[in-house]
Amino acid sequence: MRTHSLPHALPHPRHRSFRPLAACAAVLALGASLTACGGASSADPDAKEITVYSADGLKSENGDGFYNTVFKDFEKKTGIKVNYVESGSGAAVQRLARERSNTKADVVVTLPPFIQQADGKGLLDTYRPKGSDRVASADKDPDGKWTSIVNNYFCFIHNTKELKRPPKTWEDLTSAQLKGKLQYSTPGVAGDGTAVLIKAMHDFGGQGPAMDFLKKLQANNVGPSSSTGQLAPKTDKGELLVANGDVQMNYANMKSMPNQGIFFPAAKPGGKPSTFALPYAAGLVRNAPHAANAKKFLDHLLSEPVQRQVSSVGGGFTARKDIKATDENAAALAKIMDGVEIFEPDWNDIDKNLDTYVDAWQTATGS
């Protein structure tokens, strides 16, 4: 895994598609309750609606989030209603797999490596939204199965009232002060939870040392959480002092949860804080019941007006390289990322060994 300092244009990981499954039997072997290798939905294809399965972080309970604005504007523009189903990143893909004999979702939005996993399971159809030609090649599938819509970075958060100075290193997370006050979302289920594994293996130099540390960290860990979004309110209230997250989600909810601060632990004392890109990526679901509507929605997501709202409304980083955000949020985000090293995960390795890494984590932590 390669590291480099953060330049003015924030870099993103080079993704690759996961290996496609050879046949329906391979999906059945993964435990999905399927009756066929894929099938049309029983939904009315002419209905003025779509269903979006998405990882959490882009919709606000207060009604002022990125999705809240995007869904409202899309319905006003097209008359198409968006039905929204939120879950952890891996859970969204698992649900798509379970439902593939009677597809219910039209669009899926999730984080790597789960968007590649969805492609590998044959759950995505080819569609290149208008504006995707302005997205960097590293941030979209070369075969047109998915494209990033909001760029983002992995982070940790701390309660700023009770833990004024954030932990500087991984080792600081094992402090007795954090016993029963630290929690991270479940690797293999939540995208940000999987990111904990990715960063730990990078920083500690491999699977073995990373699992040794995470076993040690378990003494402070509250326990599993299927969704990273559930941890921010607990941290803001002081129920937790430290949790994992991502920059977009945590920055965006600071208005309603002001007692959280974003930080990036260094690998060792004296080291620089580091992270890696973790973008929200969207794809057209294979056999989508409302495919035509879904394509309009994907076009909408990558349109210039919406991409300008990624920072101003959503607190994230635009996916289009031709848009240079200058709003107040964009300036604040640049300050958060200042001095943070960005490394590029070895996505080929993650493709090949993700299940092994998750199994190792479960063994090490007793989860």
Side-chain angles (χ1 to χ4, degrees):
M1 297 181 183
R2 185 164 61 87
T3 62
H4 49 81
S5 297
L6 184 75
H8 294 296
L10 300 174
H12 310 287
R14 294 186 176 91
H15 308 303
R16 66 183 295 275
S17 296
F18 274 46
R19 299 179 305 279
L21 297 178
C24 183
V27 180
L28 288 171
L30 291 174
S33 301
L34 312 178
T35 58
C37 282
S41 170
S42 58
D44 177 6
D46 297 321
K48 298 284 282 184
E49 64 179 8
I50 60 168
T51 297
V52 175
Y53 287 0
S54 179
D56 54 359
L58 294 176
K59 189 172 186 292
S60 168
E61 292 183 1
N62 296 329
D64 58 354
F66 178 70
Y67 271 162
N68 304 87
T69 301
V70 169
F71 294 169
K72 182 179 179 180
D73 290 349
F74 180 68
E75 183 172 3
K76 183 178 180 180
K77 177 181 177 181
T78 64
I80 299 170
K81 179 184 177 182
V82 179
N83 302 311
Y84 176 68
V85 179
E86 183 176 284
S87 67
S89 300
V93 177
Q94 291 167 7
R95 182 166 181 172
L96 284 180
R98 289 195 303 269
E99 295 174 349
R100 68 188 295 163
S101 61
N102 184 21
T103 306
K104 302 182 185 305
D106 300 289
V107 171
V108 64
V109 181
T110 190
L111 309 181
F114 298 104
I115 192 67
Q116 294 96 333
Q117 190 179 80
D119 182 17
K121 290 183 177 182
L123 299 172
L124 303 181
D125 212 343
T126 299
Y127 183 65
R128 294 178 173 85
K130 296 176 182 177
S132 61
D133 59 321
R134 304 301 178 92
V135 175
S137 59
D139 296 327
K140 59 188 176 185
D141 178 55
D143 297 324
K145 295 296 181 64
W146 56 266
T147 184
S148 298
I149 57 167
V150 174
N151 282 328
N152 195 15
Y153 295 86
F154 173 68
C155 71
F156 280 87
I157 56 173
H158 67 106
N159 180 285
T160 55
K161 291 182 68 177
E162 298 184 39
L163 191 67
K164 297 185 182 300
R165 293 185 178 181
K168 291 185 177 182
T169 67
W170 282 103
E171 193 63 31
D172 290 343
L173 298 180
T174 65
S175 166
Q177 180 184 10
L178 299 180
K179 186 174 180 61
K181 290 287 189 176
L182 177 147
Q183 190 174 20
Y184 60 90
S185 51
T186 306
V189 176
D192 291 324
T194 305
V196 172
L197 287 187
I198 294 172
K199 178 166 164 58
M201 288 190 294
H202 169 269
D203 287 0
F204 288 101
Q207 176 183 320
M211 299 310 159
D212 288 343
F213 173 80
L214 292 173
K215 180 179 181 179
K216 179 181 178 182
L217 184 63
Q218 196 66 8
N220 283 352
N221 189 16
V222 172
S225 174
S226 62
S227 173
T228 313
Q230 298 171 357
L231 306 183
K234 294 180 181 180
T235 305
D236 179 67
K237 294 174 184 176
E239 295 175 23
L240 298 172
L241 294 182
V242 169
N244 68 317
D246 60 69
V247 174
Q248 178 278 325
M249 176 176 65
N250 295 122
Y251 177 78
N253 62 32
M254 279 184 179
K255 290 182 180 179
S256 59
M257 305 177 203
N259 299 320
Q260 56 173 328
I262 293 171
F263 73 99
F264 310 90
K268 56 186 178 181
K272 286 189 175 182
S274 67
T275 189
F276 65 99
L278 203 61
Y280 293 90
L284 174 66
V285 176
R286 189 175 184 181
N287 297 317
H290 312 101
N293 294 346
K295 291 176 181 179
K296 292 178 182 178
F297 179 69
L298 290 168
D299 290 345
H300 183 68
L301 286 174
L302 280 179
S303 65
E304 184 173 345
V306 171
Q307 283 295 303
R308 290 195 178 280
Q309 292 177 323
V310 167
S311 57
S312 64
V313 177
F317 306 85
T318 178
R320 286 181 49 156
K321 57 186 179 181
D322 62 322
I323 294 176
K324 307 300 180 186
T326 58
D327 57 88
E328 184 178 337
N329 285 344
L333 289 165
K335 186 176 181 180
I336 288 172
M337 300 303 297
D338 185 35
V340 180
E341 288 188 342
I342 308 299
F343 67 86
E344 296 179 6
D346 184 344
W347 293 104
N348 291 326
D349 176 76
I350 296 168
D351 174 357
K352 185 177 180 180
N353 297 303
L354 179 60
D355 288 345
T356 299
Y357 295 148
V358 172
D359 289 345
W361 171 81
Q362 291 174 336
T363 299
T365 62
S367 299

